[in-house]
Amino acid sequence: MKITVIGGGGVRSMFLAKSLAQSSGELDFREVVFMDNDERKLNIFGRMAAQVSKRIAPDLKFRLTTDAVDAVKNADYIITTIRVGGDDMRIQDERTALNLGILGQETTGAAGFSFAMRSVPALAEYCELAKKYASPRVKIFNFTNPAGVVSQTLRDMGYDFTYGICDAPSGFLHSVAKLYGVSQEQVTGECYGLNHLSFFSSIKLDGKEIMPELLEDPRLYTDTDMRFFGKDLVEHFGCALNEYLYYFFYREEAVKNILNAKVTRGEVIRDVNRHMMDELSGMDIENDFENCLKVFEHWYGRRENAYMSNETGMPGKTKPYRFDIYEKDAGGYAGVALQYIRARQNKTESEMILCLPNQGAIEGLLDDDVVEVTCTLKGESLLPNRINRPGDLQMELIRRVKMYERLSSQALREKSVAKALRCLMVHPLVNSYSLAKKLTEEYLKANEAYTKGWK
């Protein structure tokens, strides 16, 4: 079996390498290829990923390449995690929105559409390469943001072998398991909604419902990503919330906090990445890996500890960060893909949370609307679990954002300026024709190199 990662020069490449290497024996991986068109990043983070793989699974064939055809040729599974335009364009996207008083978050906020203008054409090219060169049964797991818009658009373009993946829902279940001091496998949940806009209607421990007691547990609001919400808000919904819902329910506070901090998340990440790359580029990764790992831990820890700090106004974490190569893999987005591969290969029934067509799972949405939902893999069939009585408050927001995603898909596929304006106009964090018009003009101008043919 061959696994390919498109975007293998990313900062989080070592996490992917760890996940794949730890599962390589069980799943009989023949070859793992990390591909990136940024040779400098591949030579730093890709080579560090290779060292991780070598220490965990020395017999696994692990390769780096800048050749996309070589990467996808005969691949059975492909993970895409790319950032077209790099950190600088993300910052421009965010600042463009903030200058208009609009949240500039790259997935939930208006900036996500600008990112999609760059992401979708690039991902479509990789999908075409996969159709031509990869295994006929290839599956592509997309982690490229904005995952909701991207997953909807790729499906609408006919790439029905693609699935969107995100580590936020599984990460929340892992944090609940940690609260209870149990293994990850003992905690399950029914998740529904859209990417970065999902709700858990049920969470079970060893098959027993624990949602009511969990929502009353004060540790939920200090030790998990539910710390971003007040308990009074949660009482309106009676369920657990994806952390990105903070941007919808505390919209004006998020904008104010970012402006007060005078630095966006994109700027934090750019500066961390630059410092880390500058240090690592002068080091011998193969022969001085332990010291390279210390540099990575220092800078990546700063990035992780600052997560949502500027946006919420809450102090960042201060706990030292450590990347343990040999510790059991916590999963993350690679864990979701591996769970699918494991169940498909072993022909066993398994539950997981993915972005895939609704198929009647959430009442009130179209069958081909891509949703983020708990689903069950049975043989070759991946079926979303039907959600009984989704909440009215939840569905009001889900329907509105789904309309934005549908219109985004139309605009991206048709290269339509009018539909770009329309999708931004209905986005609940924009909710204005005049602001949407300004955003559309600015984003088209910023993405001139990527939007040839738009009219």
Side-chain angles (χ1 to χ4, degrees):
M1 186 188 302
K2 178 180 177 180
I3 311 291
T4 293
V5 176
I6 304 294
V11 172
R12 296 208 279 180
S13 291
M14 287 200 299
F15 300 99
L16 272 168
K18 175 181 173 178
S19 297
L20 297 175
Q22 286 190 357
S23 299
S24 61
E26 174 197 0
L27 299 179
D28 193 28
F29 294 159
R30 171 178 54 84
E31 183 179 13
V32 173
V33 178
F34 276 33
M35 177 266 166
D36 206 296
N37 54 18
D38 187 323
E39 196 164 0
R40 184 185 179 214
K41 290 175 65 179
L42 190 66
N43 279 332
I44 294 174
F45 299 115
R47 284 165 62 200
M48 291 186 73
Q51 288 300 308
V52 170
S53 179
K54 181 180 179 180
R55 282 160 171 75
I56 298 171
D59 295 330
L60 175 63
K61 185 179 180 181
F62 188 102
R63 293 196 299 113
L64 305 176
T65 183
T66 56
D67 185 336
V69 173
D70 173 42
V72 303
K73 191 171 184 179
N74 300 321
D76 299 283
Y77 296 96
I78 299 171
I79 296 173
T80 57
T81 172
I82 63 175
R83 179 170 292 285
V84 183
D87 295 331
D88 286 334
M89 287 211 73
R90 172 185 179 170
I91 292 165
Q92 186 173 355
D93 293 342
E94 293 173 338
R95 284 293 178 188
T96 296
L98 284 170
N99 289 341
L100 296 172
I102 299 168
L103 181 72
Q105 209 276 334
E106 70 159 347
T107 58
T108 300
F113 182 74
S114 183
F115 192 8
M117 293 168 85
R118 303 188 297 274
S119 298
V120 167
L123 289 168
E125 288 183 18
Y126 288 122
C127 286
E128 286 297 319
L129 288 178
K131 285 173 65 176
K132 187 173 182 179
Y133 296 105
S135 162
R137 298 175 70 238
V138 69
K139 301 295 180 187
I140 295 180
F141 299 101
N142 175 63
F143 190 66
T144 300
N145 280 323
V149 170
V150 167
S151 298
Q152 182 70 58
T153 310
L154 291 179
R155 281 277 176 166
D156 289 344
M157 294 173 80
Y159 301 121
D160 58 1
F161 48 84
T162 62
Y163 297 97
I165 54 176
C166 180
D167 53 354
S170 59
F172 177 71
L173 292 178
H174 294 165
S175 67
V176 172
K178 192 174 180 180
L179 281 186
Y180 282 81
V182 300
S183 68
Q184 299 171 9
E185 295 76 19
Q186 291 175 261
V187 176
T188 57
E190 284 291 344
C191 176
Y192 73 96
L194 310 176
N195 176 250
H196 286 184
L197 198 159
S198 57
F199 304 83
F200 276 100
S201 58
S202 168
I203 294 180
K204 294 180 179 179
L205 173 58
D206 293 330
K208 177 186 175 184
E209 183 63 61
I210 61 169
M211 181 69 81
E213 68 180 68
L214 181 64
L215 296 183
E216 293 298 323
D217 190 332
R219 297 175 302 164
L220 181 71
Y221 305 97
T222 56
D223 297 354
T224 76
D225 284 337
M226 286 283 285
R227 70 187 184 276
F228 303 128
F229 306 106
K231 191 168 180 289
D232 57 337
L233 170 68
V234 176
E235 287 170 349
H236 286 283
F237 294 94
C239 64
L241 314 178
N242 185 298
E243 72 250 40
Y244 283 86
L245 285 164
Y246 170 83
Y247 296 112
F248 289 99
F249 299 133
Y250 299 88
R251 175 184 58 183
E252 75 290 346
E253 292 186 25
V255 172
K256 181 183 71 175
N257 289 334
I258 295 168
L259 292 175
N260 286 343
K262 294 182 171 55
V263 62
T264 65
R265 178 64 175 170
E267 287 161 347
V268 169
I269 290 176
R270 177 200 60 192
D271 293 345
V272 164
N273 290 350
R274 281 181 178 175
H275 287 300
M276 183 165 26
M277 290 180 68
D278 286 346
E279 282 197 48
L280 290 171
S281 62
M283 300 178 71
D284 187 339
I285 292 172
E286 281 75 21
N287 297 308
D288 193 19
F289 181 70
E290 296 306 320
N291 281 322
C292 291
L293 188 58
K294 289 178 182 177
V295 170
F296 175 84
E297 288 174 333
H298 169 73
W299 288 110
Y300 194 82
R302 291 186 62 168
R303 167 179 166 153
E304 284 296 285
N305 288 340
Y307 178 62
M308 288 188 74
S309 176
N310 291 336
E311 295 85 349
T312 62
M314 298 172 64
K317 297 179 182 178
T318 56
K319 184 180 179 181
Y321 177 81
R322 184 166 179 263
F323 178 73
D324 189 333
I325 294 175
Y326 302 104
E327 183 181 31
K328 182 183 177 183
D329 182 42
Y333 62 95
V336 178
L338 287 168
Q339 190 178 359
Y340 177 95
I341 296 169
R342 185 176 294 110
R344 189 184 184 203
Q345 183 169 303
N346 296 336
K347 294 181 171 52
T348 55
E349 185 173 312
S350 181
E351 281 196 343
M352 61 203 71
I353 301 170
L354 285 172
C355 294
L356 76 171
N358 181 46
Q359 303 173 67
I362 303 176
E363 187 177 349
L365 297 182
L366 303 177
D367 283 349
D368 61 355
D369 282 341
V370 171
V371 296
E372 183 170 83
V373 67
T374 302
C375 53
T376 304
L377 179 66
K378 297 180 180 179
E380 290 293 313
S381 298
L382 188 59
L383 302 173
N385 295 357
R386 184 168 180 81
I387 304 301
N388 295 319
R389 298 192 307 175
D392 291 337
L393 288 175
Q394 292 92 317
M395 286 306 302
E396 186 67 25
L397 183 57
I398 289 169
R399 279 192 291 262
R400 184 67 178 272
V401 174
K402 192 67 244 181
M403 179 183 287
Y404 155 73
E405 291 185 351
R406 282 194 216 109
L407 290 169
S408 294
S409 172
Q410 291 177 15
L412 292 163
R413 287 181 287 118
E414 298 172 20
K415 298 183 178 181
S416 168
V417 175
K419 288 182 179 175
L421 193 161
R422 191 177 298 176
C423 82
L424 287 168
M425 178 179 67
V426 304
H427 193 302
L429 296 180
V430 179
N431 200 33
S432 162
Y433 176 81
S434 57
L435 291 175
K437 188 174 182 179
K438 290 177 183 176
L439 280 172
T440 303
E441 292 169 354
E442 291 292 326
Y443 285 148
L444 282 168
K445 183 178 179 181
N447 289 295
E448 278 181 332
Y450 306 93
T451 53
K452 290 182 175 62
W454 279 66
K455 55 185 185 299

